[in-house]
Amino acid sequence: MPDRHPTDHVTPVHHVDHLDHLDHLDRPLDEPLEGQGAFRAPLDHLGELKEFARLHARNQGIGVRGTARILARIGTDSPDAADSWTRVWRLRGDELADRGRLLAACRHYTLARFPYPYDDPRRHAQQTAVATFDTWRRAHGGIERLELPHPDGTLHAWAAGLDTHRRSQRPLLLMMGGIVSVKEQWAPLLPRLTKLGYAAVVAELPGVGENTQRYTADSWRLIPWLLDHLSPRAHTDAATLLFLSFGGHLALRAAAEDPRVRRILTVGPPVAGFFTDTTWWERVPGITKDTLRRLTGARDEAELRSRLQEFALTEAQLRSVGAAVRCVTSARDEIIPPRDAHLLRTAVPNVRVKVIDDVHGSPGHPGAVRRWLAWNLRAAGR
């Protein structure tokens, strides 16, 4: 039934106080990974970009009218054109930044790099989004920047409420989005989450934003690694994971192995059918496919399909999930097949699923999704 509720040695974490430039990264942000070919745009690539923007801009706090005005000015995705996707979004971001509206500017830079930085203007927009958010958070306080040196690639995170004094440490809330979501989208919420009693950290899926790792079927191992590395500054033995979309898939897989994951809040996670159903795959948007190809390093779609087979969660793995799982699914999801939500309901021991009549991520109902997430976060803190 749908959920009826309104929700031995550890390498130290490095705290970065300032972000004056981004040259310290192991590689340029979202530089093409080894073995990856150039971006190959689908026939109606610009049309897909605009449709995604209409659906998801609201989730980033950009109004419908403002989005429509920007999209009307975009005529191409050619990186050098005056009316290109990245240039138009970027210029609007610059206007907002000049007026001191840094968070609004950051949201526009984030869309300028959408769906991932496969050219120089998008890489520049990605870097500017990070730097702009860093300027905002240093002015407002309460959020710190973490550098996490993982053996497979450096990642960075934003955090609030971490404490080295054991007696004053809070339970950990770890956050992560999907294949196109950067941490700057969620980081402004961190101070609010500390008011709910959490130590809150937001990072990115492997291959996304400032996470330089490759996205593989073993990427779930990043979650236990993060719990180990954050344990000196938060209670990680009863962690809550707020992992959205493809991040939710990682959370479920990790929870099948790591009992420290006690609660998972997720929206629209792929489970099994998305990775294995060849018929469903034909209807998956081209942008989603190409973004996954980039993150996994697959050379072409055939190799991507082969790699994705290894991502599918089994019933045995789902039955091993000891965490309480609270999930929002969308009745008209164009990316995740309905069978995945059914598998969650039937295989996960402790699960509630809330269904919203919308497309992937329920972008037309941001208020309802936020209220549902907030309700469940408060319930977890009781």
Side-chain angles (χ1 to χ4, degrees):
M1 292 294 291
D3 181 12
R4 298 186 182 276
H5 295 287
T7 55
D8 309 313
H9 175 72
V10 176
T11 303
V13 173
H14 300 291
H15 174 198
V16 182
D17 288 311
H18 298 286
L19 182 65
D20 297 323
H21 55 79
L22 298 170
D23 297 334
H24 61 282
L25 296 180
D26 294 339
R27 62 177 177 83
L29 290 179
D30 289 284
E31 175 183 280
L33 297 173
E34 181 181 354
Q36 178 199 347
F39 175 80
R40 287 166 291 184
L43 183 62
D44 191 24
H45 172 66
L46 186 60
E48 281 196 10
L49 282 176
K50 290 189 175 184
E51 185 60 26
F52 268 67
R54 291 187 188 98
L55 291 172
H56 297 283
R58 283 183 64 187
N59 274 345
Q60 297 194 40
I62 303 175
V64 174
R65 292 182 180 178
T67 300
R69 284 194 295 268
I70 291 173
L71 295 181
R73 293 158 52 193
I74 297 173
T76 180
D77 196 31
S78 175
D80 299 324
D83 61 345
S84 72
W85 173 273
T86 304
R87 181 176 176 83
V88 173
W89 282 107
R90 174 64 189 259
L91 287 176
R92 178 55 179 158
D94 291 346
E95 292 171 3
L96 292 164
D98 289 343
R99 290 158 51 189
R101 299 179 57 189
L102 297 183
L103 281 185
C106 186
R107 296 183 188 112
H108 287 73
Y109 297 142
T110 295
L111 276 167
R113 48 82 64 196
F114 187 88
Y116 65 87
Y118 54 79
D119 54 29
D120 286 339
R122 279 177 164 84
R123 281 189 281 274
H124 189 205
Q126 165 72 47
Q127 294 169 343
T128 305
V130 176
T132 301
F133 179 80
D134 185 65
T135 299
W136 178 86
R137 68 98 189 178
R138 283 191 277 126
H140 288 77
I143 299 175
E144 64 177 299
R145 180 170 166 84
L146 306 178
E147 180 179 341
L148 304 161
H150 190 280
D152 295 333
T154 299
L155 63 152
H156 293 78
W158 302 112
L162 297 176
D163 199 324
T164 57
H165 300 288
R166 194 66 183 172
R167 291 184 179 181
S168 54
Q169 286 177 359
R170 303 162 179 249
L172 180 67
L173 170 62
L174 189 60
M175 302 169 62
M176 189 176 290
I179 60 174
V180 298
S181 298
V182 293
K183 62 189 179 303
E184 288 72 33
Q185 294 175 231
W186 320 109
L189 298 174
L190 293 174
R192 297 184 188 181
L193 295 169
T194 63
K195 294 180 180 179
L196 296 178
Y198 292 104
V201 177
V202 59
E204 288 150 323
L205 197 79
V208 177
E210 291 189 281
N211 187 335
T212 66
Q213 300 174 34
R214 175 71 55 79
Y215 182 43
T216 72
D218 283 333
S219 288
W220 65 270
R221 298 181 185 278
L222 175 60
I223 297 173
W225 185 89
L226 284 169
L227 297 182
D228 289 343
H229 281 67
L230 293 169
S231 62
R233 301 188 63 190
H235 291 305
T236 59
D237 55 350
T240 295
L241 306 186
L242 174 50
F243 277 42
L244 308 179
S245 189
F246 286 80
H249 168 265
L250 293 192
L252 290 165
R253 182 66 182 89
E257 307 289 340
D258 196 326
R260 293 176 295 179
V261 179
R262 298 289 183 85
R263 193 172 187 89
I264 296 173
L265 307 182
T266 185
V267 179
V271 181
F274 172 84
F275 302 110
T276 60
D277 189 331
T278 56
T279 300
W280 181 268
W281 180 258
E282 295 304 316
R283 60 189 291 176
V284 172
I287 284 178
T288 302
K289 294 177 180 179
D290 197 82
T291 302
L292 283 168
R293 187 183 62 81
R294 182 265 164 191
L295 297 183
T296 60
R299 290 167 295 185
D300 52 34
E301 188 168 323
E303 183 177 333
L304 173 62
R305 293 291 298 130
S306 177
R307 293 190 183 193
L308 291 182
Q309 302 294 310
E310 302 175 2
F311 284 69
L313 303 181
T314 66
E315 290 192 31
Q317 288 168 339
L318 293 171
R319 285 195 295 269
S320 298
V321 173
V325 178
R326 302 295 179 258
C327 176
V328 170
T329 63
S330 301
R332 293 180 284 115
D333 200 314
E334 76 282 17
I335 296 177
I336 311 303
R339 62 184 288 191
D340 279 8
H342 176 74
L343 184 57
L344 277 182
R345 288 193 186 93
T346 56
V348 175
N350 183 354
V351 63
R352 286 178 178 169
V353 178
K354 180 179 181 67
V355 181
I356 295 179
D357 185 17
D358 205 338
V359 296
H360 183 68
S362 296
H365 298 77
V369 173
R370 291 190 191 106
R371 287 191 296 272
W372 181 88
L373 292 172
W375 189 94
N376 279 281
L377 285 172
R378 292 189 184 99
R382 293 186 188 123

